[in-house]
Amino acid sequence: MPDLRFSDTISGSVRNGVLVVTIDNPPVNATSADVRAGLMAALDRAEVDATVQAIALTGAGNTFVGGADIKEFGKPPVEPTLPQVIERIEAFRKAAVAAINGAALGGGCELTLACHHRIALSSAKIGLPEVKLGIVPGAGATQRLPRLTGTPAAIELISSARLVGAGEARSLGIVDAVVDADVVGAAAEVAKGLVGKPLRRTGALTVPDAPADTLEKAAADAARKAKGQRAPLEAIRLVRLAATAPLAEGLAEERRTFLELRDSDEAAALRHVFFAERAAGKVDGLETVKARKVDVIGIVGTGLMGSGIAVAALNGGYRVIGVEQTQDAADKGRERISGLLDKAVQTGRLDAAGRDGRLQRLTVTSDASELAAADLVIEAVFDDLVVKTELFQRLDNIVRPDAILATNTSYLDPNAIAAATAHPERVVGLHFFSPAHIMRLVEVVNCAKSAPDVLVTALAVAKKLGKLPVVCGVTEGFIGNRIFSAYRREAEFMLEDGALPHEIDAALEAYGFPMGLFAVYDMAGLEIAWAKRKRQAATRDPAARYVDIADRLCEAGRFGQKAGKGWYVYPNGKRSVDPDVTALIEQVRAEKDIEPRHFNADEITARLLKAMSDEGEALLAEGVAARPGDIDLVMINGYGFPSHRGGPMFAAGRR
Ligand code: 3H9
């Protein structure tokens, strides 16, 4: 079994007449220039070597190929291109079989589609996540996938970026067989069996017919979910083209679209988000610090937030001990948690066995001493400093000395909470967003005295919960609420200066926010922020500009959608502009002698972006946020900032 080397990242060995080609380009075997050149060299060898009758293609480690090398985007292309490699594999005289040993994504999936047969390990995931990067597949998937799966399934998969497991890939026709072990051996055997037989070349297949209404529905469903992004719409168009255009024409159109989108602002923004997500949660200087072992998570308070955190922890595989003050409250907490799990079963996100397994790992009790078994306790009680500090003092006497205490406070000073305990070094902030079992973002607050391994453990737990953890220092409201306050303040200044709520909301929605600021306020209710403003009134700088329109709305009982009126009015539940609110705003302007002027949508978004990015710069200067990308992730994942704009820091930089 001679070892062959075709490039730094491509090696081969001949087994029983089959050249097994292995892609070894850590961390994810991306198809970088060296991989593409090495694959071409392997094909050259297989072409002329009479002892090689077929080839099998696989990846080293746990990944087949994670896709094209995203770091190469934006640089001048280096030949051979991936489409060139892929076309050569498809047209290859000798059989080529893909041994899909792990994730085959994007260009990795496209490599497999060019092979004449595909075998996947049962744990492998397959998919085309390109639209998440603002691009369409650029190496043939929009033309080859529908030839295997039919057009409706290809539209759904490519435009949604959904990954499928090996079993589903088999039933959709993407792979030909699934094995539980030795995928390379199985592929080599199949390759050998194909010698001398006609080869099934994906590109030569005809796209299966689909009923017109099914097709239209698939396209319309996918377009609706595109939310104004271009890449999914282009993907739908290209997949549909596969059924009507010859392969070469479809591939050329796909390539042209891919190159155009790759150089777009949307793709640059989404690439920034991709790398920001990979960088988030990494803390300089703590690379070698080991996380503590966490098996059991205690959660004090099982209300709306606590029950969501409990579900997230159960989903992460932890044992969970929920604690309430009375047995009655504990029973209700358990009901809330099992209700959330039932809902997940109803919506197909969880099966009944998964729910039952989770419930077996759950205890909800009024006996706080049970927290002695917890490795980490997260408090999710009423956001009041006295309540929280007293709780942490009590926990000091219950939990083990090596257990970690986390506070889920939104606005209180976690350093003050930590200072009240005997061991502030074991305290950290875990600021979840509501609903905590759904929202990905968690601000992990590095308190003044948090021990390095406490912070590292909090990050590891958040990741195991499937969350996106962003590290942040102590400041009022942490990263998200600090920026949100600056954004809200600027929007209210613009109200006084001449814009109306619906104009500001329309500008934000056109920019890509799912909902404008004032519509969000109405949905969430105005009273909590009002109560906070009243608490802060005594300490507010009297010289600072203050807009009291929201206060006047609250004084008039306009608490938002629940009250039927707030910034808008809701006849029959439909959001409508209210002349009374316009009159109030005009009255405030007149009282302050402000001559209103017109704001166009671009000026509105520019001013709001600047307010956000200025506050972001302040957070960076204060050391509260470590990277601009962290701020972008917080605003995208916690506050509806459109990801295809890259977040406020990225977008401000582009302007
Ligand atoms: C494409 O294929 C276009 C083609 O259609 C057309 C071409 C002509 N490139 O996520 P992780 C890095 S577009 C470069 O933490 P995991 C990542 O930055 C591509 N680097 O690992 C990180 O680096 P670091 C379509 C990449 O085990 C490290 O790998 N493909 C790439 O949790 C580990 O990443 C995709 O969009 C890449 N393609 O998950 C798939 N991928 O350690 C994107 C990752 O320095 N990738 N890195 O921070 C993924 O979804 C996940 O990385 C994967 C592994 C599931 C593969």
Side-chain angles (χ1 to χ4, degrees), residues 27-28 66-70 106-107 110 129-130 133 137-138 255 274 278 282:
V28 298
D69 186 344
I70 303 169
E110 293 175 298
E130 280 88 342
L133 295 166
R255 185 74 182 160
F274 178 86
R278 265 82 202 159
K282 290 186 183 155

Side-chain angles (χ1 to χ4, degrees), residues 26-28 30-31 63 65-73 81-83 103 105-108 110 127-130 132-133 135-141 163 255 258 274-275 278-279 282:
V28 298
T31 59
T63 307
V65 168
D69 186 344
I70 303 169
K71 294 193 179 98
E72 281 183 1
F73 292 2
T81 63
L82 192 58
L105 308 182
E110 293 175 298
L128 293 148
E130 280 88 342
K132 277 202 199 159
L133 295 166
I135 53 175
V136 290
L163 308 188
R255 185 74 182 160
F258 165 77
F274 178 86
F275 288 115
R278 265 82 202 159
K282 290 186 183 155

